[in-house]
Amino acid sequence: MSTKEQVVTRHSFPVRVAHWLVVLSFLLLAISGLGLFFPSLNWMTSVLGSPQLAQFLHPVFGVVMVLGMVILFFGNVAHAFPEKGDGQWMMHMVDVLKGHEHEVAEVGQYNAGQKMLFWTIIGLLAILLVTGIIVWQPYFAPFFAVSIVRLCLFLHSLCAVLLIMAIFMHAYMGFWYKGTLRGMVYGTVTRSWAKLHHPRWLRQLEGKKK
Ligand code: HEM
């Protein structure tokens, strides 16, 4: 921690690189996936050149995203388990959204909402990965019955839509809470931000430094 600038380190460099790699691949996956799935959105595939190119690149970006997500997972999972105060945070969600979260519970590295979103993203990605491999033409799909491939296509599209909604919410929160985004960009957050949103995390961090 630098006392001069009053900032604390929140996200390491490898985690930040992995996060923005995941964001980039997610955007390319969402654009190509929506373009390939909905005939009316077919024009979106031109972002990647052509529908044929989009079909080829979509699973490749999927693999890149999963690799980035593995780093993000191991960089954050230790802080994603339920802790004391999470139930209280959930029950007072309205107060939290009104900006009184510091009065509700002493939040650690992540609040209960972030933890739930984290596991939702991981769960959806796991289903997307398995179903994505099964429907991957021409490499893996021929090994499976047509009915299985169809079911997986349905599950893959459903989970993709749910993931887009979850990420929309996650990104909105990142912008909504002023000072949060800089943690994922520069790696540091202000001490006052940490004290307001994650006081227990700050206390533990400063306790370790002493
Ligand atoms: C434009 C899109 C996105 C923005 C603006 C954004 C922003 C952020 C910010 C600011 C944090 C730090 C939160 C904190 O320090 O408390 C964060 C963490 C995180 N982000 Fe994103 N993110 C975006 C997309 C994604 C995507 C696509 C994924 C994965 C599919 C993702 C997964 C994560 C994970 C796992 C964390 C760790 C902490 C947590 O779960 O909240 N993000 N993101």
Side-chain angles (χ1 to χ4, degrees):
M1 186 188 116
S2 152
T3 42
K4 206 170 137 209
E5 286 183 289
Q6 291 284 296
V7 293
V8 287
T9 303
R10 183 141 172 94
H11 300 289
S12 68
F13 184 69
V15 163
R16 280 181 284 140
V17 171
H19 182 268
W20 294 114
L21 186 71
V22 165
V23 172
L24 183 68
S25 36
F26 167 78
L27 290 174
L28 293 170
L29 277 161
I31 291 170
S32 53
L34 288 170
L36 288 169
F37 191 76
F38 296 106
S40 57
L41 296 179
N42 206 247
W43 56 270
M44 285 172 98
T45 56
S46 58
V47 173
L48 295 182
S50 66
Q52 290 75 15
L53 205 54
Q55 198 148 20
F56 172 75
L57 288 175
H58 183 84
V60 176
F61 292 135
V63 173
V64 173
M65 184 173 174
V66 167
L67 293 178
M69 203 59 211
V70 169
I71 300 174
L72 262 189
F73 178 81
F74 287 109
N76 290 291
V77 69
H79 313 288
F81 293 101
E83 288 166 297
K84 202 173 135 238
D86 283 348
Q88 211 167 333
W89 190 96
M90 293 291 300
M91 280 182 337
H92 295 87
M93 188 88 92
V94 176
D95 292 324
V96 170
L97 290 173
K98 280 184 187 164
H100 307 304
E101 68 182 307
H102 50 289
E103 292 164 18
V104 168
E106 201 197 16
V107 176
Q109 169 113 19
Y110 294 123
N111 62 43
Q114 286 178 296
K115 289 176 192 177
M116 283 200 311
L117 214 50
F118 177 85
W119 290 112
T120 304
I121 292 172
I122 297 296
L124 289 172
L125 271 181
I127 301 174
L128 281 164
L129 175 66
V130 173
T131 53
I133 290 173
I134 293 174
V135 303
W136 195 342
Q137 294 278 9
Y139 306 105
F140 301 102
F143 295 105
F144 298 91
V146 175
S147 55
I148 300 281
V149 174
R150 277 197 192 139
L151 177 69
C152 287
L153 254 180
F154 169 73
L155 284 175
H156 195 76
S157 325
L158 182 70
C159 290
V161 171
L162 293 176
L163 183 67
I164 290 171
M165 284 159 66
I167 295 302
F168 190 80
M169 208 187 318
H170 167 81
Y172 183 75
M173 290 301 176
F175 286 110
W176 171 271
Y177 287 105
K178 209 167 160 268
T180 307
L181 202 57
R182 64 165 285 169
M184 218 14 126
V185 177
Y186 303 113
T188 57
V189 288
T190 62
R191 202 180 164 278
S192 52
W193 177 92
K195 204 173 173 188
L196 182 66
H197 300 297
H198 302 274
R200 188 154 46 84
W201 169 67
L202 180 68
R203 194 160 48 77
Q204 286 163 348
L205 200 70
E206 292 185 334
K208 265 190 216 159
K209 298 267 164 186
K210 277 179 194 157

